[in-house]
Amino acid sequence: MRVSDPLFAYLNARIRAIKGQLIPRAQLEDFLRQNDLTRMSNALLNTVYHQEMAEALTRFKGADAIEEAVTRHLMAMAQIVLQRAEERPRELVALVLERWNLNAVKPLLRIRHQGIELGAAAHLLMPGADFPPSLQRRMAAAESMEALIGRLTAWNPRLCGGLAAALPEYTETGRLSVLEDALDRQYFVDSAARLRRSRDENEQLLHFFLQLEIDLINLRLVFVRLRQQRAEPIPPERFLPEGTLPEKTLAQLGAVDNAAVAAELLKRTRYRSFVEELYQFMQTRRFSPVERLFERVLMEELRKLAMLNPLSLAIAMDFAWRKYNEGINIRLIARGLAGHLPTGRVREELVFI
């Protein structure tokens, strides 16, 4: 499908201009190779992050300052993209950017679930499209899960409204996945269902991308089960609907007892290209790089859509993911340097497209 929408012509021209400000891979590699947080902070003062970095250094230091700057910068870029969109494009771009708010809410739930003190959990906070770090910290200080959900719902009922209905089951079972599932269903499933029958070509592009996200959430569920060596199969209702993977395939994946069989099943799907890497990480029982591998798959698909549809929503989606990924790469490098992690271990979690 090739989409050409004049409403996106102006927005995409502006996005292409700021896209040129993305930090090149070579510079990110330099940050990692130099192994010096002070030099990294100083280098960021000479990039598009300069304003946020300068402000962050007045209140924080080291990796904390870099993470604060990254979060502030990503929020500013999200607002710039929204301000340059008009009419219907703005609504669709806002829905795309809401994804980053979802990413920011889940760590808050995890912090409260695990009872982690805010000081020890600050590095877990993630950038949101319009979710300032100061507000996230106030949310994280909630005295109970019920209080946190109340605050989240008041802040963004469109995204978090389903958490209250899931709270009784969470209270009964103590499973954090109940709340995470409620978030995913409200954002991914409900949005995909609304867009499914649309004849608007940009909405069809967004629907397809939401389907890919749903697929990868379902696959993550499969591989978490394999990593934890659970004997019982995944109940069909645990899988999110509205994805591209057939129910039969999901049922088979949910019942397999080893990663090799799951990899063979995936070879028959659109996700066959990353099966070998996925299997390699599963053999080492290291799941963090797998999360980033899933994100790389999404970005590669977006890159294809953007190349095929240069006058469409795909350009904004591609930039949003590239920019967010840049921020995550910077955060991973900074946190790796602060924790004196081996360079190779940090590098394998970086994603470059």
Side-chain angles (χ1 to χ4, degrees), residues 227 281 285-293 332 345 348-349:
R227 181 187 60 159
F281 285 121
R285 310 200 67 75
R286 295 183 55 212
F287 201 65
S288 182
V290 173
E291 293 282 344
R292 296 290 280 155
L293 184 59
L332 285 169
R345 179 157 180 193
E348 73 180 8
E349 294 194 34

Side-chain angles (χ1 to χ4, degrees), residues 15 22 70-82 92-108 124-133 136 152 155-156 158-160 183-184 187-188 191 206 209-210 213 220 291-292 294-296 298-299 302 313-329 331:
I15 286 177
L22 290 171
V70 165
T71 298
R72 293 287 181 182
H73 180 74
L74 291 182
M75 285 178 56
M77 292 305 301
Q79 293 310 305
I80 287 173
V81 173
L82 274 177
L92 295 180
V93 170
L95 182 57
V96 171
L97 294 176
E98 190 81 290
R99 171 70 167 81
W100 313 134
N101 285 333
L102 175 69
N103 270 17
V105 168
K106 286 186 176 181
L108 293 175
L124 298 176
L125 302 180
M126 298 294 288
D130 56 358
F131 200 178
Q136 290 190 37
L152 289 170
W155 163 68
N156 192 332
R158 183 181 61 254
L159 178 66
C160 303
L183 280 173
D184 289 338
Y187 178 74
F188 293 110
S191 298
L206 180 51
F209 193 69
L210 288 170
E213 293 247 41
R220 187 179 295 112
E291 293 282 344
R292 296 290 280 155
F294 285 167
E295 292 179 1
R296 195 189 75 194
L298 289 172
M299 286 187 282
L302 263 183
L313 176 66
I315 296 296
M317 290 195 293
D318 180 50
F319 173 73
W321 262 98
R322 283 173 179 262
K323 189 65 186 179
Y324 189 81
N325 180 64
E326 174 186 270
I328 297 303
N329 281 343
R331 284 169 54 102

Side-chain angles (χ1 to χ4, degrees), residues 87-323:
E87 301 173 358
R88 182 57 176 157
R90 183 182 292 119
E91 295 177 22
L92 295 180
V93 170
L95 182 57
V96 171
L97 294 176
E98 190 81 290
R99 171 70 167 81
W100 313 134
N101 285 333
L102 175 69
N103 270 17
V105 168
K106 286 186 176 181
L108 293 175
L109 297 174
R110 193 172 307 119
I111 289 169
R112 183 66 270 155
H113 173 73
Q114 297 177 353
I116 306 174
E117 290 296 326
L118 182 57
H123 67 284
L124 298 176
L125 302 180
M126 298 294 288
D130 56 358
F131 200 178
S134 57
L135 179 57
Q136 290 190 37
R137 294 186 189 102
R138 290 199 296 273
M139 296 277 192
E143 65 277 10
S144 66
M145 186 64 81
E146 182 177 7
L148 173 59
I149 288 175
R151 295 180 186 184
L152 289 170
T153 303
W155 163 68
N156 192 332
R158 183 181 61 254
L159 178 66
C160 303
L163 289 174
L167 182 59
E169 184 179 353
Y170 165 78
T171 303
E172 180 182 350
T173 64
R175 290 190 292 109
L176 180 62
S177 59
V178 171
L179 299 178
E180 293 175 331
D181 184 72
L183 280 173
D184 289 338
R185 288 178 185 274
Q186 182 149 353
Y187 178 74
F188 293 110
V189 177
D190 289 359
S191 298
R194 286 198 308 271
L195 297 171
R196 187 194 323 128
R197 294 184 177 85
S198 174
R199 294 184 180 181
D200 179 271
E201 292 178 319
N202 282 293
E203 292 185 357
Q204 290 174 8
L205 283 177
L206 180 51
H207 174 253
F208 171 67
F209 193 69
L210 288 170
Q211 285 186 297
L212 298 183
E213 293 247 41
I214 289 169
D215 285 346
L216 293 181
I217 289 171
N218 287 333
L219 291 179
R220 187 179 295 112
L221 186 63
V222 169
F223 285 94
V224 165
R225 171 182 171 269
L226 289 173
R227 181 187 60 159
Q228 296 176 348
Q229 297 182 317
R230 298 177 191 164
E232 68 281 2
I234 299 172
E237 62 271 15
R238 283 294 312 281
F239 290 114
L240 298 184
E242 300 290 340
T244 71
L245 292 173
E247 290 182 8
K248 180 179 179 181
T249 301
L250 288 175
Q252 291 173 322
L253 286 167
V256 297
D257 56 5
N258 67 76
V261 176
E264 285 300 315
L265 287 169
L266 281 176
K267 286 182 180 179
R268 308 172 196 170
T269 73
R270 67 171 65 249
Y271 302 104
R272 56 187 174 275
S273 62
F274 78 115
V275 163
E276 290 185 9
E277 289 180 82
L278 184 63
Y279 185 46
Q280 176 184 343
F281 285 121
M282 289 303 299
Q283 283 184 313
T284 60
R285 310 200 67 75
R286 295 183 55 212
F287 201 65
S288 182
V290 173
E291 293 282 344
R292 296 290 280 155
L293 184 59
F294 285 167
E295 292 179 1
R296 195 189 75 194
V297 170
L298 289 172
M299 286 187 282
E300 287 174 345
E301 290 291 337
L302 263 183
R303 185 180 186 183
K304 295 174 189 175
L305 289 176
M307 291 176 65
L308 288 172
N309 304 280
L311 293 176
S312 75
L313 176 66
I315 296 296
M317 290 195 293
D318 180 50
F319 173 73
W321 262 98
R322 283 173 179 262
K323 189 65 186 179

